Amino acid sequence: MSFCSFFGGEVFKDHFKPGIYVCSKCGHQLFSSCSKYEHSSPWPAFTETILKDSVSKQPERPRAFKVLCGKCGNGLGHEFVNDGPAKGQSRF
């Protein structure tokens, strides 16, 4: 999953300190830093959410979903089908 911030640039793409990523609007827990991986896009990317209801997804176009906060509906970015870390890829 890729999380993006449309205002002020993305500051967490290369941020790998341990912690929990939360919704900037409501504070709902979204992703653990343990599920973060290096990605070629300008936004941070994650392999899984913290809770089953951390995010919701809406189809936006073929092979792409709009990812929203599961609590308040704040837009978080997009998930692209078959886009993820290569097997054995390190987070660092």
Side-chain angles (χ1 to χ4, degrees), residues 3-73:
F3 171 84
C4 63
S5 172
F6 295 106
F7 304 105
E10 182 48 62
V11 296
F12 292 109
K13 177 186 185 291
D14 297 318
H15 182 273
F16 285 93
K17 291 183 182 176
I20 303 296
Y21 291 79
V22 301
C23 176
S24 62
K25 187 173 180 181
C26 74
H28 188 57
Q29 292 187 348
L30 303 170
F31 310 100
S32 166
S33 59
C34 294
S35 68
K36 189 169 189 257
Y37 65 96
E38 289 185 18
H39 193 268
S40 62
S41 81
W43 304 289
F46 303 88
T47 57
E48 61 188 8
T49 60
I50 289 201
L51 305 168
K52 189 174 184 174
D53 68 347
S54 290
V55 301
S56 64
K57 301 175 190 177
Q58 298 176 346
E60 190 167 84
R61 60 182 184 259
R63 303 175 50 84
F65 295 89
K66 178 75 173 171
V67 180
L68 309 166
C69 172
K71 184 174 181 182
C72 73

Side-chain angles (χ1 to χ4, degrees), residues 60-91:
E60 190 167 84
R61 60 182 184 259
R63 303 175 50 84
F65 295 89
K66 178 75 173 171
V67 180
L68 309 166
C69 172
K71 184 174 181 182
C72 73
N74 186 32
L76 302 175
H78 293 85
E79 179 177 341
F80 301 97
V81 176
N82 296 325
D83 180 31
K87 288 185 178 187
Q89 179 179 348
S90 171
R91 293 186 310 124

